[in-house]
Amino acid sequence: MHLKSICCAIFAVFTLLGRNVCAEESFAQWKELFYDQALAAGIKKQTLDLYVPQMDLLPKIIEQDVKLPEYIPTFTSYIESRLTQERIDIGRQLAKQHEALLQQISKKYNVPAEYLLALWAMETNYGAFMGNVDILDALASLAYHPRRRTFFTSQLISYLRILERETIPPKVGSWDAGFGHFQFMPGTFEIYAVDGDKDKARDLISSLPDAFASAANYLHQLGWDPANLWGREVIVPQNIDWDATTDKLKKVDEWIALGIKPANLESFPENERSIQAALTAPMGSKGPTFLTYSNFRYIMNWNKYELYALTAGLMADSIAGRFKGFYTQPNGEKIKSEEIQQLQEYLLNMGYHIGNADGKLGKNTKHAIRSVQGKLGLIPDGFPDRQLLNLLTTKKQEEK
């Protein structure tokens, strides 16, 4: 019976978006398997009897999870649509409106208010849209699909515990089951959510004290350093060894010795010189480059997407009045996701271990690109551009 269920589930993966009848049948069988798994994880039988029959499969959620954008986001396109003057102005207005609350929470958790406001802006546009998808259905659909089954199964079990234990459990959220002002996942909620207004409920949707305090507690528990920023834009010497410096942690003093300078200051502040920093170049040599500190890595814990973390940091700086514009103007070009897939296939054929050709610029793909760029006499910054794509396309055609 279990083998049959598994086989049907695998078959359903390929037919799901075509709405094959087996998709519904295999989802029902998956729910039986999940029931046993959740029961073993400590979820009460009466909870499962109530909620498992309510779980519906949402094909659009799975489609949202697996689809690739036509173009990979560039630093320019990503930041211009998010770091807007309107958002910055609203953030400053809300800082004044909630000044007492934010000061109280910042003092308790040692997280400056501008970072809470920046993450609030990034996640839900200051609470303007927190999602309207049924969380139970979204989690069940994503746990059913094999792409991220392990992760979303654990999140679904966490959500069932929330339904068991919380006074005001969330019911709707985003397509990927984040909910509330800061789009906490169920597992994050279980560990880090706090009762900021002392009403004996952890309500991240209707209570701003709970939402702010929970976000601050999350960053505080990671180790947020209130004495330092997230990072800053820097000027990189033309002869920098990109392959030897990318993804490496060094003290700021060591970066200074390599010729790195702060973009908008004469020198680095004294308190920054001894801290560990990484060189982060979202557009390679063609755009702004940053030294990023431990707080940046904590934002990356919040959201692992590098462009998100950079934008959140710059949003916080903007709300606080620290960011006045880029020293180096972004100069990117649009590259299609399918072009990245073709590039990855070429890298795989060359023997580079980059995983699958998924059209995403992950760490392994960037490392392989740096290697190829060096061999072709290009700046080995790990950022694919039209010149590299054209050279590799020509080289591939010559090999046929």
Side-chain angles (χ1 to χ4, degrees), residues 344-352 372 375 392 395 399:
Q344 289 173 320
E345 289 170 0
Y346 186 75
L347 293 171
L348 286 168
N349 290 334
M350 291 177 68
Y352 288 100
V372 172
K375 293 175 181 178
L392 290 180
K395 187 174 179 63
E399 291 174 351

Side-chain angles (χ1 to χ4, degrees), residues 101-399:
L101 175 61
L102 287 166
Q103 283 183 351
Q104 175 190 350
I105 289 173
S106 295
K107 183 178 180 180
K108 180 175 181 178
Y109 294 101
N110 288 318
V111 177
E114 62 264 28
Y115 289 99
L116 301 177
L117 291 162
L119 291 168
W120 191 19
M122 293 291 291
E123 291 294 343
T124 61
N125 197 18
Y126 304 112
F129 184 70
M130 291 184 273
N132 56 11
V133 179
D134 185 276
I135 295 173
L136 185 65
D137 292 342
L139 284 170
S141 300
L142 293 165
Y144 162 69
H145 193 267
R147 193 175 89 85
R148 293 195 283 172
R149 176 169 289 174
T150 300
F151 172 75
F152 279 108
T153 296
S154 70
Q155 294 301 314
L156 179 53
I157 290 172
S158 289
Y159 182 61
L160 290 171
R161 279 197 292 263
I162 291 170
L163 291 173
E164 286 183 340
R165 300 172 182 176
E166 295 300 318
T167 308
I168 310 174
K171 294 299 179 70
V172 296
S174 60
W175 69 267
D176 62 353
F179 57 85
H181 286 274
F182 289 90
Q183 295 292 282
F184 270 33
M185 295 297 292
T188 306
F189 177 95
E190 280 200 289
I191 299 171
Y192 298 105
V194 296
D195 178 12
D197 55 16
K198 306 302 180 184
D199 67 349
K200 298 182 179 179
R202 298 188 293 177
D203 180 4
L204 306 193
I205 295 176
S206 302
S207 171
L208 276 180
D210 288 4
F212 283 144
S214 297
N217 182 51
Y218 179 87
L219 295 173
H220 173 71
Q221 293 296 334
L222 290 177
W224 191 270
D225 179 6
N228 284 298
L229 302 175
W230 63 274
R232 64 173 67 252
E233 186 184 356
V234 294
I235 301 170
V236 179
Q238 291 186 350
N239 63 346
I240 190 80
D241 185 346
W242 288 96
D243 198 44
T245 56
T246 305
D247 300 323
K248 303 292 191 301
L249 278 175
K250 303 177 186 292
K251 288 184 178 181
V252 171
D253 268 338
E254 294 178 86
W255 289 112
I256 293 172
L258 292 174
I260 299 288
K261 299 177 181 178
N264 298 308
L265 296 172
E266 290 185 4
S267 60
F268 284 95
E270 193 63 32
N271 66 304
E272 292 181 20
R273 295 175 67 102
S274 62
I275 62 177
Q276 294 283 324
L279 188 65
T280 303
M283 300 176 68
S285 60
K286 298 177 177 60
T289 306
F290 307 87
L291 276 188
T292 53
Y293 308 150
S294 61
N295 289 336
F296 177 80
R297 295 188 285 279
Y298 300 143
I299 299 175
M300 289 280 288
N301 271 85
W302 184 293
N303 186 310
K304 297 185 184 300
Y305 192 40
E306 184 180 85
L307 295 184
Y308 175 102
L310 287 168
T311 306
L314 291 166
M315 178 72 75
D317 286 348
S318 299
I319 291 171
R322 294 189 293 264
F323 179 61
K324 307 296 183 183
F326 294 112
Y327 179 86
T328 303
Q329 291 303 310
N331 183 28
E333 55 186 334
K334 287 186 175 181
I335 298 174
K336 291 185 175 182
S337 295
E338 64 180 36
E339 291 180 297
I340 298 300
Q341 285 181 309
Q342 293 171 0
L343 170 59
Q344 289 173 320
E345 289 170 0
Y346 186 75
L347 293 171
L348 286 168
N349 290 334
M350 291 177 68
Y352 288 100
H353 300 289
I354 61 170
N356 298 322
D358 58 5
K360 298 177 181 179
L361 275 175
K363 184 176 180 179
N364 291 336
T365 297
K366 288 182 179 180
H367 181 76
I369 289 172
R370 284 199 298 273
S371 175
V372 172
Q373 286 170 326
K375 293 175 181 178
L376 294 175
L378 305 175
I379 298 175
D381 56 14
F383 189 79
D385 56 15
R386 190 63 53 197
Q387 182 183 14
L388 174 64
L389 293 170
N390 289 341
L391 281 172
L392 290 180
T393 300
T394 302
K395 187 174 179 63
K396 189 174 182 180
Q397 291 172 345
E398 290 174 351
E399 291 174 351

